Amino acid sequence: MMNNERTSVAVAGGGPAGMVLGLLLARAGVEVTVLEKHADFLRDFRGDTVHPSTLTLLDELGLGERFAALPQRRVQQLRGVLDGGTVTIADFTRLPGAHPHLALVPQWDFLDLLAEAAEAEPTFTLIRNAEVTGVLRAGGKVTGVRWTDRVGGEEHELSAALTVGCDGRGSTLRAAAGLRSRAFGVPMDVWWFRLPRHTEDVEGGVGRFSTGHFAVMIDRGDYWQCAYLIRKGSDAELRAAGIATLRNRFARLVPWMADRVGTLESFDQVQLLDVRLDRLRRWSTDGLLLIGDAAHAMSPVGGVGINLAVADAVATARLLGPALRSSGSVTPADSGACRPAGCGRRWCSSPCSAWHTR
């Protein structure tokens, strides 16, 4: 049995891009349905770094106080520890505005906040346990998505005037549309793990640089979120050497944390982040738009991923929201400004159906 539904905008993926876009479109009076694969947001997300630009947006949306009430650490400086001493990499206190800092917030809390705000809007729907499996087409145009209920197994078709893929670097919708990204070589992957934080430890973010070794420690209050860089593709080989090898390497690199590396008892506590850097030159086909990691997977350096995904969502809502609100549909001319976050073109010479980057 196939269940058929309809909405104005179908958004695949309830990450930062999908939830911000859903909230903004719903507040503009556009009917929007966000399909989230999981039952909740309680997963070990990597990106918890919220930048001043996103904090300012939350203020503008009337969510600043609610965000400030979430458990978080505020980082005003980032330090780099070299073999020869310590240097300041970034000093956010020099920034103008109300938020001269980074906010480190568990991403599930951030997404819960966005979901709660969006669900207060009558035109917003969030469907959980909804795994998007493909697209609907009519005459070559994408007209919605197919999705499966991961609890009951029922299959659904959701028709939409516009489908937006916010389903990450392994985007199902990108593959279904036949869009290919251009990959840029990266030399590293990242191991993520936690180590206890002591009250006398330094505060904020710390990067440790040495010949052939690099680690970042993010202050989460009662623990350090640690990122240890390894050579691209070397995960299996290094794991085979045993957890003691990682403990010894990290203790030599960051001696003041040697007294706590023993809390790493096995590689079950160490997660691999497969670092990718790619982008689509064309962000859309007729009826389908891709934003966030689905359009441009970012390096973890600087923690920019969440914030660029949010910027994509804001640009999408500003460009396409008015047309969706007035007519319930979008045309190639509606993206005449054609300017996603990071695009170098201010105006296109003629309207087109594709968002693009240089």
Side-chain angles (χ1 to χ4, degrees), residues 165-187:
C166 305
D167 49 346
R169 61 180 61 193
S171 173
T172 297
L173 294 187
R174 182 178 64 198
L179 296 174
R180 296 184 179 181
S181 58
R182 177 188 176 188
F184 300 85
V186 291

Side-chain angles (χ1 to χ4, degrees), residues 11 14 16 22 38 47-48 80 115 171 221 234 246 279 293 299 325 339 344 353:
V11 178
H38 300 277
D48 296 346
S171 173
S234 64
L246 171 57
R279 74 161 183 256
D293 276 0
S299 163
R325 182 174 59 249
R339 188 186 176 195
S353 62

Side-chain angles (χ1 to χ4, degrees), residues 49-133:
T49 308
V50 182
H51 287 199
S53 59
T54 303
L55 296 173
T56 300
L57 172 67
L58 293 171
D59 287 344
E60 294 171 351
L61 294 175
L63 300 176
E65 290 187 3
R66 291 162 65 180
F67 181 87
L70 297 177
Q72 60 188 269
R73 296 290 283 185
R74 295 183 176 182
V75 176
Q76 294 183 317
Q77 290 186 328
L78 298 178
R79 304 175 185 86
V81 181
L82 311 177
D83 291 339
T86 301
V87 296
T88 298
I89 298 175
D91 183 355
F92 298 103
T93 64
R94 300 171 65 88
L95 293 176
H99 301 288
H101 59 265
L102 300 181
L104 303 178
V105 178
Q107 194 176 122
W108 53 82
D109 288 335
F110 180 46
L111 295 177
D112 279 335
L113 169 63
L114 295 173
E116 182 179 339
E119 288 175 325
E121 303 298 325
T123 58
F124 178 87
T125 301
L126 172 62
I127 304 178
R128 302 175 188 266
N129 291 308
E131 182 172 6
V132 174
T133 58

Side-chain angles (χ1 to χ4, degrees), residues 2-3 5 10-12 33 35 131-137 142-147 156-160 162-165 173 288:
M2 183 71 72
N3 297 300
E5 299 101 9
V11 178
T33 300
L35 303 169
E131 182 172 6
V132 174
T133 58
V135 298
L136 304 176
R137 292 183 183 274
V142 174
T143 58
V145 297
R146 293 186 177 87
W147 65 274
H156 298 255
E157 290 186 350
L158 178 62
S159 299
L162 174 67
T163 300
V164 184
L173 294 187
L288 171 68

Side-chain angles (χ1 to χ4, degrees), residues 5-345:
E5 299 101 9
R6 182 168 185 82
T7 187
S8 292
V9 180
V11 178
M19 293 308 302
V20 170
L21 178 60
L23 171 61
L24 293 177
L25 290 179
R27 285 194 172 181
V30 177
E31 184 184 20
V32 56
T33 300
V34 176
L35 303 169
E36 166 54 38
K37 180 178 179 180
H38 300 277
D40 53 43
F41 302 122
L42 291 173
R43 294 181 296 284
D44 191 12
F45 287 93
R46 276 80 175 184
D48 296 346
T49 308
V50 182
H51 287 199
S53 59
T54 303
L55 296 173
T56 300
L57 172 67
L58 293 171
D59 287 344
E60 294 171 351
L61 294 175
L63 300 176
E65 290 187 3
R66 291 162 65 180
F67 181 87
L70 297 177
Q72 60 188 269
R73 296 290 283 185
R74 295 183 176 182
V75 176
Q76 294 183 317
Q77 290 186 328
L78 298 178
R79 304 175 185 86
V81 181
L82 311 177
D83 291 339
T86 301
V87 296
T88 298
I89 298 175
D91 183 355
F92 298 103
T93 64
R94 300 171 65 88
L95 293 176
H99 301 288
H101 59 265
L102 300 181
L104 303 178
V105 178
Q107 194 176 122
W108 53 82
D109 288 335
F110 180 46
L111 295 177
D112 279 335
L113 169 63
L114 295 173
E116 182 179 339
E119 288 175 325
E121 303 298 325
T123 58
F124 178 87
T125 301
L126 172 62
I127 304 178
R128 302 175 188 266
N129 291 308
E131 182 172 6
V132 174
T133 58
V135 298
L136 304 176
R137 292 183 183 274
K141 178 180 179 179
V142 174
T143 58
V145 297
R146 293 186 177 87
W147 65 274
T148 300
D149 185 332
R150 299 182 72 200
V151 175
E154 298 92 351
E155 295 184 347
H156 298 255
E157 290 186 350
L158 178 62
S159 299
L162 174 67
T163 300
V164 184
C166 305
D167 49 346
R169 61 180 61 193
S171 173
T172 297
L173 294 187
R174 182 178 64 198
L179 296 174
R180 296 184 179 181
S181 58
R182 177 188 176 188
F184 300 85
V186 291
M188 65 181 183
D189 287 326
V190 178
W191 276 344
W192 284 94
F193 52 90
R194 297 181 180 185
L195 291 176
R197 183 181 178 277
H198 298 168
T199 55
E200 65 271 18
D201 289 347
V202 297
E203 296 182 355
V206 179
R208 176 68 174 99
F209 305 83
S210 186
T211 304
H213 296 275
F214 176 39
V216 173
M217 289 77 73
I218 302 172
D219 179 0
R220 295 292 177 80
D222 58 350
Y223 71 91
W224 290 99
Q225 181 71 59
C226 301
Y228 182 71
L229 274 63
I230 61 174
R231 189 180 72 255
K232 188 71 177 175
S234 64
D235 175 67
E237 174 189 349
L238 294 175
R239 284 177 185 263
I243 192 66
T245 301
L246 171 57
R247 290 198 296 253
N248 292 335
R249 285 187 176 190
F250 199 81
R252 289 197 301 269
L253 181 64
V254 192
W256 58 271
M257 299 187 76
D259 61 347
R260 62 200 85 172
V261 295
T263 60
L264 290 175
E265 298 178 353
S266 76
F267 269 108
D268 291 339
Q269 298 166 265
V270 181
Q271 295 193 351
L272 173 69
L273 172 60
D274 179 14
V275 177
R276 299 183 191 177
L277 184 60
D278 62 35
R279 74 161 183 256
L280 292 172
R281 293 191 64 83
R282 180 186 177 107
W283 290 27
S284 69
T285 60
D286 196 5
L288 171 68
L289 173 67
L290 299 170
I291 63 175
D293 276 0
H296 50 80
M298 303 301 300
S299 163
V301 175
V304 298
I306 288 178
N307 306 279
L308 291 182
V310 169
D312 288 354
V314 172
T316 301
R318 284 178 171 171
L319 288 173
L320 303 185
L324 288 163
R325 182 174 59 249
S326 62
S327 65
S329 63
V330 291
T331 67
D334 295 321
S335 58
C338 196
R339 188 186 176 195
C343 181
R345 299 183 174 102

